[in-house]
Amino acid sequence: MYAEVLFRSNSLGRICGISEDQNSRAMASPDSLQEEFMEESLTCSSCKNTYNDPRVLPCLHSVCATCLVAAQKEESLFTCPTCQNQVTLKGEDSVDSFPTNFYIKNLLNSRMLQNSEEAKCEMCKSGAKVEGTCGDCRLLLCGNCVTAHTNSPALKEHYIITLDDLTNPSSRAKFTGAEYCSKHPDMRTTFYCAPCSKLVCQHCTVTEHREGWKHSPRKISELAQKCKYELQTLVQKTQDTTDTLKNTRDTIGKEMKCVAANCQAERTKIREYFVQLRAKLDKAEQDVIDKLAKMEEAQLETLAKEKEGFKETLRSTEEGVKFCTDVLARNSDAEIVTLKKQLENRLKHLGNTANQVKHEPLKKHVTFQPSGEIKCDLNLTCKPLVVTKAPVESLPTTVVFRPEKGQVQGSPQVTVTSPGGQCVMLETTKVSEGCFEAEWRPQTSGKHVVGVATEGKRGWGRGTAPLIVDVRSNNPVLKFGKKGSQEGDFDRPLDVAVWGERLYVADTFNKRVQVFDISGEFCFSFSTTSNPESLAVQTSDGTIIVQCGEEVMKFSPSGELQKKLHLGEHCANISGLAVQKDGGVVVADFSQNIFLFVEADGTLVKQVGGQGPGEGQFKSVSFVCVDEESNIIVADTLQNCVQVFDICLNFMTKFGEHGMEPQQVWGPTGVSADSRGNIVLANVGDKSDVGGVEHGKKLQVFRPDGTWVSTISSDGDKLNKPHGVAVTEDGHVFVVDYADHCIRKYRYM
């Protein structure tokens, strides 16, 4: 029993916000451990009172629903008291959108029942000792009344919790997660409506949550196994990331010791050399030692900062994995179903964040030469103004400025002048004492001049000598395909889609769909009988949706035809399609300048648009896509813009202006959105056969609100006729070039 409580105190402590010190204090006395842990684990870290309807936040910590309601009345943000993560609270139903922590609720039941030793049976009034409770009758029961519930046909379906259920781990699973419907208090919630993210009862499935395009109630028991499998897969992937982070953390620690030992050895050499010349070289010796100390400090500071980043990433990753592992171990269907979306998003976020954190080991160490000079090839530690890595066009890099003591009074200004003479000013942030950083995303290749202006006693002046930086072109990291009909060849491909580790290409005039891995290796292909022009993949099950003329066909992940959607009575000329998570299909109609939303079986739900320049109107509907929030993003080629609609097909925003500048749009076609909300847009440009951004043939990255981020082009192997695009979770984009009969892959984040 002690081992079990100790394990739960370490794991549940993170869920409830209990510190490691409180856990270590509980280890001192096994007899008092369970009582102390029970009290602390049932205490809300926000209001410091016993939990009242505990809810799970996106960071996987729990707080009272009453705390969230109170915070919502005062402001729109709630800060988690355990990890300081901020949660947005908007709308009347925002608090209900956070899932219930069933585990803590049942701990509350456990304490209530265990503390009822002095209570007497409330059903038979016999004064007998309480041995259980009935969730339907809301009464404490003696042993005879528990038996009566079990044996009586009218009462045998009642929800009974006994002391044996609370002490026997194999019995606990039967009541974990049991809830009663707020609309129908006499009914237990046995269904889950995924679009609403709510547990509902059987009555709700024929009233408020009736099956339709807005509601999809499913039995919890049917959903649970699928949720378990997906979460177990994510746990394994994230656990692998945790192991990588641990190894990297240990490597950095070893390097820090190596740096200190190396510098100490060189310091000894310096002192031995200057012993012979002490009378004349005391000052020179001290100067050189001070210089070494600064280099050591700079190296250790950089490594320490990097190590702290790995440490924080590791902590968040371990915490997320632990929480999910505990949920799966408890084997509660309701808990798994209600927490699945949050756990999935959190684990994906942690996995992506960890994969983006890279460590470049120190290549050279400080060395002392008898000439009296200390040499170090690390630019970051030797120069006051540096760029941390070789900059690439359109990708972010960091400019670091370390002014001399007393040189800067306020914040310095970093300026960058491009080869064409355009000058931009970057905002700087003070990251440590005497160190400033600025993010730079160059938009052209070639030699740039990076300078710093500082404010001193005599006003603004040049802070240090300018730095000449050569920016590399953002050339494709991968290109494959040529005109032909063999495996891996293409004949005017028009669209591309990504699902997991697979890449799907609409090989139009070869009348087939080809499937590759994301490194460009051919996997298999399947015939479409007619020319495929656009395609999409349903993220929930891998169903492939392909448009050929006025026909929309559904294929299994292995390429077997499953269903045809005949949309001829609704569509005149389909130009693109996308698919929602629940299987609903969005179809763009070029001739009517509309897009339609149809159910998985092809039933028309609604159409939006029409000819015109206004909001929600189009001149030439091209491609469409859906983002993580199920918003619909439409590219309008002739209007040179992008329009965004919400899940209910209501207009949200419109952006884009025709022109040749990097931030302007010229004939948008393919469009895709990543999990961070970024929108990647392909521009077909002018009618010439000359490629490149100067002819409008480019890829662009925008924020969800239409704010331009960057433009992707390349000096060599330029885009000719870019069309369909698809993004990957690791910050790359695939683009179809139908004039060159190939696929190119670029890094965009």
Side-chain angles (χ1 to χ4, degrees), residues 116-303:
S116 64
E117 293 182 358
E118 301 301 325
K120 305 302 180 182
C121 180
E122 297 175 341
M123 184 171 181
C124 65
K125 306 296 183 180
S126 63
K129 181 181 177 181
V130 170
E131 295 186 19
T133 181
C134 176
D136 293 271
C137 301
R138 306 291 199 273
L139 297 174
L140 296 175
L141 307 175
C142 65
N144 290 334
C145 290
V146 170
T147 302
H149 272 69
T150 304
N151 296 331
S152 173
L155 303 176
K156 68 177 181 179
E157 295 298 327
H158 280 209
Y159 170 56
I160 304 296
I161 304 174
T162 67
L163 286 172
D164 178 64
D165 291 328
L166 300 175
T167 56
N168 185 354
S170 63
S171 301
R172 291 189 195 124
K174 78 173 189 179
F175 64 84
T176 301
E179 283 283 290
Y180 285 85
C181 180
S182 58
K183 299 286 186 181
H184 309 94
D186 60 333
M187 297 290 292
R188 281 200 284 271
T189 54
T190 56
F191 287 78
Y192 181 72
C193 183
C196 303
S197 300
K198 287 186 177 180
L199 289 169
V200 298
C201 70
Q202 188 169 6
H203 284 179
C204 289
T205 63
V206 295
T207 55
E208 293 91 346
H209 296 269
R210 187 173 185 177
E211 180 75 34
W213 73 284
K214 286 188 177 181
H215 300 286
S216 181
R218 294 292 183 271
K219 283 190 176 181
I220 293 175
S221 58
E222 295 176 358
L223 289 175
Q225 291 303 317
K226 181 179 178 182
C227 292
K228 289 178 188 176
Y229 174 77
E230 293 175 356
L231 290 173
Q232 285 168 343
T233 302
L234 276 174
V235 166
Q236 183 58 49
K237 288 184 178 179
T238 313
Q239 185 61 55
D240 294 341
T241 300
T242 301
D243 296 338
T244 301
L245 289 170
K246 286 181 178 178
N247 292 336
T248 307
R249 177 201 59 190
D250 295 339
T251 300
I252 294 174
K254 291 177 182 178
E255 288 186 7
M256 292 180 68
K257 292 180 180 179
C258 183
V259 167
N262 166 242
C263 290
Q264 180 60 40
E266 296 304 315
R267 187 179 290 109
T268 301
K269 289 183 182 179
I270 293 170
R271 286 173 176 155
E272 290 175 353
Y273 176 77
F274 278 96
V275 163
Q276 303 171 27
L277 304 171
R278 184 64 60 196
K280 296 181 180 180
L281 300 177
D282 281 347
K283 187 177 183 302
E285 178 189 9
Q286 191 59 47
D287 289 344
V288 176
I289 290 178
D290 290 344
K291 187 175 181 180
L292 172 65
K294 288 182 179 179
M295 291 183 179
E296 179 184 8
E297 180 183 358
Q299 286 185 340
L300 290 175
E301 180 182 349
T302 302
L303 288 172

Side-chain angles (χ1 to χ4, degrees), residues 494-495 505-514 526-536 544-555 559 561 563-568 571-578 585-588 623:
L494 289 180
D495 199 9
V505 182
D507 189 2
T508 306
F509 285 94
N510 280 325
K511 297 181 180 179
R512 64 186 179 184
V513 171
Q514 295 200 66
F526 58 89
S527 173
T528 56
T529 66
S530 58
N531 298 342
E533 297 172 355
S534 60
L535 54 77
I544 308 165
I545 317 294
V546 183
Q547 173 255 324
C548 300
E550 301 314 311
E551 257 189 354
V552 175
M553 296 178 285
K554 291 188 174 185
F555 295 86
L561 180 62
K563 187 179 183 63
K564 289 186 179 181
L565 307 181
H566 300 285
L567 303 178
C571 301
N573 192 344
I574 299 177
S575 56
L577 56 81
V585 181
V586 182
V587 181
F623 275 51

Side-chain angles (χ1 to χ4, degrees), residues 384-385 399-403 407-417 423-428 436 438 449-467:
L385 180 64
V399 180
V400 179
F401 176 52
R402 295 177 181 274
Q407 182 181 3
V408 177
Q409 290 186 344
S411 295
Q413 296 178 345
V414 175
T415 60
V416 181
T417 305
C423 182
V424 296
M425 185 171 294
L426 308 178
E427 293 184 3
T428 59
F436 298 85
V449 180
V450 181
V452 178
T454 59
E455 185 179 13
K457 295 180 179 179
R458 298 183 180 180
W460 288 92
R462 191 168 70 181
T464 186
L467 185 66

Side-chain angles (χ1 to χ4, degrees), residues 486-643:
Q486 301 299 314
E487 290 182 355
D489 294 342
F490 303 106
D491 191 354
R492 291 194 173 270
L494 289 180
D495 199 9
V496 64
V498 170
W499 183 59
E501 299 296 313
R502 290 290 176 88
L503 174 71
Y504 303 81
V505 182
D507 189 2
T508 306
F509 285 94
N510 280 325
K511 297 181 180 179
R512 64 186 179 184
V513 171
Q514 295 200 66
V515 184
F516 304 83
D517 63 24
I518 58 175
S519 63
E521 292 295 323
F522 177 83
C523 297
F524 66 93
S525 66
F526 58 89
S527 173
T528 56
T529 66
S530 58
N531 298 342
E533 297 172 355
S534 60
L535 54 77
V537 182
Q538 186 175 338
T539 57
S540 60
D541 61 7
T543 298
I544 308 165
I545 317 294
V546 183
Q547 173 255 324
C548 300
E550 301 314 311
E551 257 189 354
V552 175
M553 296 178 285
K554 291 188 174 185
F555 295 86
S556 70
S558 61
E560 297 177 359
L561 180 62
Q562 295 178 327
K563 187 179 183 63
K564 289 186 179 181
L565 307 181
H566 300 285
L567 303 178
E569 62 177 305
H570 307 302
C571 301
N573 192 344
I574 299 177
S575 56
L577 56 81
V579 60
Q580 300 277 23
K581 295 177 182 178
D582 62 358
V585 181
V586 182
V587 181
D589 188 322
F590 178 87
S591 296
Q592 300 183 76
N593 279 312
I594 60 173
F595 70 87
L596 306 93
F597 185 83
V598 300
E599 293 182 347
D601 61 359
T603 303
L604 176 65
V605 177
K606 187 176 181 181
Q607 69 179 39
V608 177
Q611 182 72 28
E615 295 178 351
Q617 295 180 313
F618 308 99
K619 290 185 178 180
S620 176
V621 173
S622 182
F623 275 51
V624 293
C625 73
V626 295
D627 64 13
E628 284 289 308
E629 303 300 323
S630 295
N631 298 318
I632 300 168
I633 304 166
V634 186
D636 190 331
T637 305
L638 295 182
Q639 199 173 174
N640 296 292
C641 72
V642 173
Q643 298 195 52

